[in-house]
Amino acid sequence: MSAKVCQDNSKALMSNPNSALGKWLLRDVLNLPEREMLTYDKLQAIGLDTVVIYKTDNKTYDIDFTRIGSYEKFLNENGESGEEEASDDDEE
């Protein structure tokens, strides 16, 4: 599947056609029926909590699902709390 990283700070992955990535993840990998929404609760029910995209070289990315607790472990190992810090604009 052809895809590219896009948006600010490379925070999005788009396939060509864009629907191909969604179909592969939702229908082929997770076996979700058409029009059924993937929720965090559904991910937890199958034992997953995170989708991770790894860059293996300049033209290749791997996508993996990780077990429940992986995200919290990542945050702890990287000294992050998982909560967005309030900016000065938010304080009144």
Side-chain angles (χ1 to χ4, degrees):
M1 169 184 324
S2 173
K4 67 179 180 177
V5 177
C6 54
Q7 295 187 8
D8 292 335
N9 298 316
S10 301
K11 65 182 177 184
L13 182 65
M14 293 179 65
S15 60
N16 185 14
N18 203 31
S19 60
L21 180 60
K23 180 191 175 297
W24 176 73
L25 283 171
L26 299 174
R27 309 291 170 250
D28 300 340
V29 175
L30 297 173
N31 297 313
L32 219 60
E34 286 286 333
R35 302 207 179 269
E36 184 173 330
M37 186 177 294
L38 178 63
T39 64
Y40 187 68
D41 288 339
K42 287 180 186 171
L43 282 175
Q44 286 183 313
I46 57 176
L48 305 172
D49 75 354
T50 308
V51 177
V52 182
I53 301 170
Y54 300 97
K55 183 176 182 178
T56 56
D57 62 43
N58 285 336
K59 294 186 176 186
T60 308
Y61 293 83
D62 290 332
I63 298 175
D64 196 10
F65 293 87
T66 60
R67 297 278 169 216
I68 291 176
S70 299
Y71 180 66
E72 287 78 11
K73 181 179 177 184
F74 168 81
L75 292 176
N76 289 335
E77 289 174 351
N78 291 283
E80 299 179 30
S81 68
E83 297 178 10
E84 293 289 326
E85 293 182 21
S87 68
D88 291 336
D89 295 337
D90 293 338
E91 295 175 12
E92 290 189 27

